[in-house]
Amino acid sequence: MQVSMTVNGKAVTADVEPRTLLVHFIRESLSLTGTHVGCETSYCGACTVVVNGRSTKSCTMLAVQADGAEITTIEGLASNGDLHPIQEGFWERHGLQCGYCTPGMIMSAVGLLDENPSPSEDEIRHGLEGNLCRCTGYHNIVKAVEYAAAKMRGEEPAPAEWEVTS
Amino acid sequence: MTTTSALGGAVKRREDPALIRGKGRYTDDIKAVGMLHTAFVRSPIANGVITRLDTSEAAGMDGVHAVYTIDDVRHLGPLLAQVPIGKLRPLLADGVVKHVGEAVAMIVAESPSQARDAADAVVVDYDANPAVIDLKQAASDEIKVHDDLDSNILHTWSYHGYWDALGLESKQPEIEAAKQRDDVVIVSQEMVNQRLVPVAIEPRSVVAEWQDGYQRFTVTSSTQVPHALAGAISKMFGLAANAVHVVAPEVGGGFGAKLNVYADEILVCFASKALERSVKWTEGRREASGSTIQGRGWIATATIVGTRDGEILGYELEGLADMGAYTQNFTVAIPLLGLWVASGQYRFPTHFNIDCVVTNTMTTDAYRGAGRPEAIYYIERIIDMYAREIGLDPLEVRKKNYWQPDEFPATMGCGFALDSGDYGRSADTLMEEAGYAELRATQEKARAEGRLVGIGVSSYVEVCGFGPAVLAEIGFSWTNYGLPASFNGSGLVRVNPDGTATVIIGTGPSGQGHQTTWAQIVSDGLGLPIEQISVRHGDTAESPMGIGTFGSRSLAVDGTATHEATQKVREKAASLAAHLLEASEADIVFADGGAHVAGSPDQRVEWSALAKAAYQAHTAPEGWESGLEAQVTWSPGNATWPFGTHLAMVEVDRDTGDVSILKYVAADDCGNVVNPMIVDGQVHGGIAQGIGQAMFEDAIYDEDGNMLTTSLMDYPIPTAGDLPSFDLTRTTTPSPVNPMGVKGIGEAGTIASAQTLVNAVVDALSPLGVSHLEMPLRPKRVWQAMHDAAQS
């Protein structure tokens, strides 16, 4: 079947098997390998992308269901080489270790902050419950999202828990 | 702005720019030209004989290039293991199957879906035999797992008998004598340290490419041990070491699960060589229950004897550890790691006796902590029970029995010496950070209001920085993989002609930030900005002989090698700078991107000029050997022994049994710290995994050997919503074992946290008469304990 969609601002059209999941279409057909696969049960969230403005686990959709959609993957988040504040937050606050869950975690945080620009720690924690990280214990992921939320509100982020060496 | 004053600084990670943009390259991202895909036929039963294996239909299906069975690969031998006690795993089932998920046949096809479809078309008939899953039943030998082994008990690790050369004597008579005293209390409890699944979020993946024209392999794998994998491939295929090139690219978490050479890695190489095509296999999450090692799985009884005023006179741990069906890399050695820390931070006599038992389940091996979380769990749970029995504060009882600062290096009953420590200071630091007295007051107030609030503590000591070369004498040896026996670390530091530096190390990180930490070490030594230093690892074609990343060893061993190599480069560079600046070598100072003469900052040469000169013999001093690099292979004299004390405060919901973590405070000591940000991150993640064991995770097999928890739906690991933020503090007791005074921090949090949580929950329920709870502390179990306590 033929599908057409806009991915990271670029129109794409391709022939896919009807059973192709959106995540496989993104990874295999478009070679955008920043979107990861970590489970088979739509549980880990490593495959999260933004579909028509909503954070979506791309293993829960068929590629054909995304026909006509606007999709942003992790590769499309930075603009003109400038990191998105959430990407910056993850770097500034050590919100990642192995980096495998990170693209999905960041794309979920995009949806979270879109809906709630001033989340409490509790709201961040519950907002990211659909994304699993095995490395960080989430402590610094929460800090990273708090950093980004402050930046996106035009405020100065709270200082890091460590003395920053620049 | 450049970064030069780097050691001890929270330098932002150099790994992150690629990863946060989704541009890191993991194994499954690789698409080689003509690459074929793999699927395995796996056993649906836990013990049986294969009576029919018909691959003919599968072999004829669309896109299928090959279907392999043991007959195709038997000549390669079984999978290699470092400690080959027990039954080694055949590459594919050889007439019998011994656990659910055991690979029986391998399909190689054009696409993953064609491979899977063909796997479904392979016909296998089995005669099922009774399986033995329960550890105690297995230890009774009522049902044997392997007909050709004398017993299901493969080995017994005992405190005094594990290493004859040490000539250690059993402490049991001493402990028995203490038990006979009439002024003592004896507290004893059988406890389960349940089996766990490591769950790296990146599934394992491997791509093998046999280059027939050059008669060599290039293998990319999601592994923590690239050199061991290269060694295993060389050995099993009879190839020279330089005909096997292994690359570990970005590795999405390891936690020990990727510290094995796996049968699938060897099989994919075999297929690539046979078909002369690139071949990939990527593990499915549910498939992993039969293809990736699991961890823990102990049942043991801890017994403590002590006086009523808190002096502990002896400690015993006796029990069983589950090995699974087949022995892989470290399998049988894991309880030995527990043995080494069995006495925790304490000086009392210890008796340890753990039997390694085979069952019809997936292999167990190193999962974060590996033997040490189990051992520390038992001692720290039973000390808590003892403290409650004698009515003393659990932290005070611990402090009373610690090794004292003037006793280091402290030789334990197991024969190893704790390198350095100040356990009392660590506990005091924790108490101060947590506001211990106020927390206890808060708890009393909550209890008066009828709330179930508990405070739990645990001290721990870890053995890491593997390891001393003498380990080879007790059976730890990489020679089975065709490598040197020692647990060497390595570092190569090269200053390039343009004044940048390339550092190549023998580690295999999976998120530990080595590119950052190692750049700090070299920056500190050479006065070179971090931005000009590139750190590479995980590629056996370029990196010097290393062993990989596991057991919290990388910094203490490979880091030390790099530190020493940096010093060598510095010395050589200093002689050149002295020549160029017409000064004495002893007066050369490296800082701010160049070398200058002490006291005369203007008498200076930039690294760019110095490096250029180093490669130009005609302008160098007479006898100068061109180039500026050094490589060091380091073999430590002792392990390192980090330690700490953690505290958790919890509240249990009376109606539901739900446990909320109100506060988590950790005081850790890993010696000197290179990057506090990265160290904290390791502690956070470690704590979360221990909490996962305490509260959520449980690898459950039914009596027929089916694992019931193969997906993340059934095997819940902690989510962000399950955990609190952690309050971390630190003491710094440098290790004398290596020149940087570093110890290791990768596993500390996990070793400390599970029993900290359990102790807190039991403390919360103690007014109801609850004295012990088995992990995981899911609401139903906690509610049941409250309910049962109320009934009695």
Side-chain angles (χ1 to χ4, degrees):
Chain A
M1 291 177 75
Q2 196 175 67
V3 291
S4 298
M5 60 189 91
T6 306
V7 179
N8 300 334
K10 209 167 115 187
V12 294
T13 298
D15 273 321
V16 297
E17 272 193 73
R19 64 176 171 176
T20 306
L21 295 173
L22 178 59
V23 64
H24 291 136
F25 176 73
I26 291 169
R27 285 181 57 82
E28 306 297 332
S29 303
L30 305 181
S31 292
L32 293 170
T33 55
T35 301
H36 295 151
V37 178
C39 73
E40 295 153 341
T41 46
S42 296
Y43 206 76
C44 77
C47 64
T48 306
V49 299
V50 173
V51 180
N52 294 331
R54 287 181 65 90
S55 291
T56 304
K57 290 179 179 178
S58 61
C59 72
T60 61
M61 293 180 80
L62 298 168
V64 293
Q65 289 176 293
D67 191 41
E70 290 252 2
I71 292 174
T72 307
T73 71
I74 186 70
E75 291 93 340
L77 196 58
S79 61
N80 303 321
D82 292 335
L83 293 178
H84 185 281
I86 299 175
Q87 292 171 308
E88 188 185 316
F90 272 71
W91 193 12
E92 291 289 336
R93 293 295 179 264
H94 189 30
L96 64 151
Q97 290 179 25
C98 82
Y100 197 79
C101 76
T102 308
M105 197 68 81
I106 288 175
M107 298 315 281
S108 274
V110 168
L112 171 72
L113 294 184
D114 191 43
E115 285 175 19
N116 182 359
S118 301
S120 65
E121 175 180 341
D122 202 47
E123 285 168 338
I124 294 171
R125 287 184 174 279
H126 288 286
L128 296 178
E129 267 178 336
N131 292 72
L132 298 177
C133 170
R134 193 61 154 166
C135 293
T136 65
Y138 307 101
H139 181 104
N140 285 337
I141 289 177
V142 172
K143 303 289 179 205
V145 176
E146 286 173 345
Y147 175 101
K151 274 268 177 149
M152 290 164 74
R153 293 191 305 264
E155 298 165 12
E156 188 63 29
E161 291 182 334
W162 49 83
E163 201 177 316
V164 177
T165 306
S166 57
Chain B
M1 189 172 169
T2 55
T3 312
T4 52
S5 176
L7 217 55
V11 175
K12 269 171 31 179
R13 292 210 323 171
R14 322 241 5 249
E15 288 84 349
D16 292 1
L19 301 176
I20 56 180
R21 290 178 166 92
K23 294 182 180 177
R25 192 171 94 142
Y26 299 83
T27 303
D28 192 48
D29 298 340
I30 292 171
K31 266 199 277 188
V33 175
M35 188 172 77
L36 301 175
H37 298 268
T38 308
F40 288 96
V41 177
R42 296 187 179 277
S43 172
I45 64 167
N47 191 16
V49 177
I50 298 171
T51 56
R52 180 176 168 222
L53 176 52
D54 182 352
T55 60
S56 54
E57 186 189 340
M61 286 173 68
D62 279 353
V64 172
H65 285 251
V67 183
Y68 297 119
T69 68
I70 187 65
D71 291 338
D72 300 295
V73 294
R74 190 180 287 109
H75 65 282
L76 296 173
L79 188 61
L80 302 175
Q82 173 157 189
V83 185
I85 300 170
K87 188 81 174 171
L88 299 182
R89 178 180 292 277
L91 292 177
L92 290 165
D94 194 354
V96 294
V97 290
K98 293 298 172 186
H99 67 87
V100 171
E102 182 173 352
V104 174
M106 179 172 82
I107 315 287
V108 185
E110 286 289 332
S111 75
S113 49
Q114 285 172 326
R116 279 194 294 272
D117 288 346
D120 289 342
V122 172
V123 179
V124 194
D125 289 342
Y126 303 89
D127 269 355
N129 292 323
V132 57
I133 308 302
D134 179 77
L135 260 184
K136 287 182 181 172
Q137 189 191 7
S140 76
D141 279 336
E142 182 188 319
I143 299 171
K144 293 263 293 294
V145 173
H146 299 287
D147 296 337
D148 51 349
L149 294 183
D150 293 338
S151 167
N152 289 335
I153 299 177
L154 298 179
H155 190 72
T156 299
W157 295 111
S158 70
Y159 216 62
H160 55 283
Y162 76 96
W163 193 357
D164 291 340
L166 293 176
L168 301 172
E169 287 177 9
S170 172
K171 300 287 183 189
Q172 235 176 344
E174 204 176 323
I175 299 167
E176 281 305 318
K179 284 182 183 174
Q180 302 309 315
R181 282 170 49 168
D182 54 11
D183 62 340
V184 298
V185 294
I186 299 168
V187 181
S188 191
Q189 178 71 47
E190 181 181 272
M191 297 177 251
V192 175
N193 197 281
Q194 81 273 27
R195 184 187 273 250
L196 301 177
V197 183
V199 193
I201 305 295
E202 181 208 23
R204 290 195 303 107
S205 183
V206 53
V207 179
E209 185 192 5
W210 169 254
Q211 295 155 325
D212 199 59
Y214 305 101
Q215 293 287 297
R216 70 186 179 206
F217 275 118
T218 294
V219 179
T220 307
S221 185
S222 178
T223 181
Q224 297 170 237
V225 283
H227 283 94
L229 176 56
I233 294 167
S234 298
K235 197 164 176 193
M236 294 184 81
F237 289 90
L239 295 166
N242 56 15
V244 181
H245 173 202
V246 171
V247 181
E250 298 290 355
V251 175
F255 317 114
K258 297 170 183 173
L259 160 57
N260 259 243
V261 171
Y262 283 96
D264 40 71
E265 293 175 306
I266 302 301
L267 289 166
V268 163
C269 289
F270 170 80
S272 176
K273 193 162 187 281
L275 302 171
E276 294 187 25
R277 295 277 289 266
S278 289
V279 179
K280 178 196 273 187
W281 175 71
T282 297
E283 184 176 61
R285 179 61 62 189
R286 280 172 288 197
E287 182 179 27
S289 63
S291 55
T292 290
I293 61 97
Q294 299 169 2
R296 319 274 193 267
W298 287 24
I299 180 165
T301 300
T303 305
I304 216 161
V305 51
T307 64
R308 292 215 160 264
D309 60 2
E311 186 196 351
I312 296 171
L313 303 171
Y315 167 65
E316 299 171 324
L317 184 67
E318 294 199 326
L320 310 172
D322 195 345
M323 303 291 105
Y326 295 112
T327 293
Q328 292 191 188
N329 184 27
F330 281 124
T331 302
V332 178
I334 297 303
L336 175 60
L337 303 185
L339 182 156
W340 285 328
V341 298
S343 55
Q345 296 188 356
Y346 314 102
R347 45 203 316 284
F348 43 72
T350 296
H351 168 71
F352 181 99
N353 198 97
I354 296 290
D355 292 331
C356 302
V357 182
V358 285
T359 56
N360 289 109
T361 62
M362 182 57 199
T363 299
T364 63
D365 203 306
Y367 167 55
R368 200 171 192 169
R372 291 156 287 173
E374 295 92 317
I376 297 293
Y377 179 78
Y378 285 101
I379 193 166
E380 292 294 322
R381 277 291 298 124
I382 202 71
I383 287 183
D384 242 49
M385 297 176 79
Y386 163 70
R388 183 159 288 114
E389 179 72 23
I390 60 176
L392 291 182
D393 179 272
L395 208 38
E396 287 309 315
V397 170
R398 285 173 169 83
K399 288 168 79 170
K400 218 170 203 172
N401 291 280
Y402 288 155
W403 289 101
Q404 297 302 307
D406 59 0
E407 292 176 302
F408 289 88
T411 302
M412 296 179 289
C414 68
F416 270 92
L418 296 160
D419 57 344
S420 64
D422 190 340
Y423 300 155
R425 186 162 66 101
S426 175
D428 288 343
T429 303
L430 174 93
M431 289 172 83
E432 194 185 323
E433 178 75 16
Y436 188 69
E438 296 90 81
L439 289 186
R440 285 290 181 198
T442 306
Q443 180 190 23
E444 281 313 306
K445 195 163 161 262
R447 277 183 173 168
E449 294 164 4
R451 291 164 57 197
L452 297 172
V453 171
I455 295 169
V457 294
S458 168
S459 297
Y460 73 92
V461 64
E462 178 185 359
V463 51
C464 61
F466 292 109
V470 292
L471 290 184
E473 289 179 24
I474 48 170
F476 281 91
S477 172
W478 293 96
T479 52
N480 294 332
Y481 294 95
L483 305 181
S486 322
F487 284 63
N488 293 328
S490 59
L492 185 157
V493 177
R494 174 185 300 142
V495 177
N496 301 310
D498 65 351
T500 63
T502 301
V503 181
I504 312 175
I505 56 180
T507 66
S510 48
Q512 293 86 350
H514 291 183
Q515 291 171 28
T516 308
T517 301
W518 267 252
Q520 290 179 252
I521 295 169
V522 175
S523 173
D524 186 67
L526 300 182
L528 197 59
I530 278 188
E531 292 77 2
Q532 293 182 29
I533 301 167
S534 166
V535 179
R536 306 171 62 91
H537 48 64
D539 184 326
T540 63
E542 66 173 9
S543 79
M545 186 67 236
I547 294 297
T549 291
F550 56 89
S552 310
R553 68 184 295 278
S554 292
L555 184 59
V557 188
D558 297 77
T560 299
T562 303
H563 179 267
E564 296 301 283
T566 304
Q567 296 310 312
K568 286 189 171 187
V569 168
R570 182 191 171 105
E571 283 167 27
K572 188 175 177 188
S575 73
L576 183 60
H579 170 77
L580 295 175
L581 298 172
E582 296 177 351
S584 157
E585 210 175 303
D587 292 335
I588 298 298
V589 176
F590 289 96
D592 302 326
H596 67 266
V597 180
S600 316
D602 294 340
Q603 222 182 324
R604 174 182 169 84
V605 55
E606 299 301 320
W607 260 112
S608 51
L610 191 58
K612 195 172 157 196
Y615 286 86
Q616 296 185 146
H618 67 283
T619 56
E622 204 181 312
W624 175 260
E625 187 185 328
S626 282
L628 199 46
E629 69 176 72
Q631 181 191 319
V632 168
T633 300
W634 167 264
S635 187
N638 186 6
T640 56
W641 305 80
F643 58 90
T645 298
H646 288 203
L647 175 146
M649 188 172 190
V650 302
E651 178 158 11
V652 179
D653 187 314
R654 265 181 198 277
D655 297 325
T656 65
D658 192 44
V659 175
S660 303
I661 305 171
L662 305 178
K663 197 173 182 62
Y664 195 100
V665 190
D668 296 286
D669 193 322
C670 60
N672 287 329
V673 167
V674 177
N675 187 322
M677 177 190 82
I678 288 176
V679 166
D680 284 358
Q682 289 295 310
V683 176
H684 293 149
I687 292 171
Q689 282 183 14
I691 292 177
Q693 174 168 24
M695 295 183 62
F696 309 108
E697 300 176 34
D698 199 358
I700 302 170
Y701 284 84
D702 70 12
E703 60 187 18
D704 296 322
N706 299 298
M707 192 173 152
L708 304 179
T709 53
T710 59
S711 84
L712 293 173
M713 312 282 283
D714 318 299
Y715 187 89
I717 66 170
T719 69
D722 295 323
L723 299 175
S725 285
F726 307 119
D727 182 354
L728 307 189
T729 184
R730 222 182 337 263
T731 56
T732 302
T733 311
S735 172
V737 172
N738 56 66
M740 287 197 294
V742 298
K743 292 195 171 189
I745 195 65
E747 296 156 297
T750 305
I751 294 168
S753 60
Q755 64 282 354
T756 299
L757 251 291
V758 176
N759 287 345
V761 175
V762 171
D763 188 49
L765 301 186
S766 61
L768 308 178
V770 173
S771 62
H772 179 62
L773 284 164
E774 296 287 11
M775 300 184 287
L777 302 174
R778 294 188 193 164
K780 185 181 173 191
R781 180 170 283 164
V782 176
W783 183 88
Q784 191 69 50
M786 290 192 287
H787 182 78
D788 292 348
Q791 297 298 308
S792 63

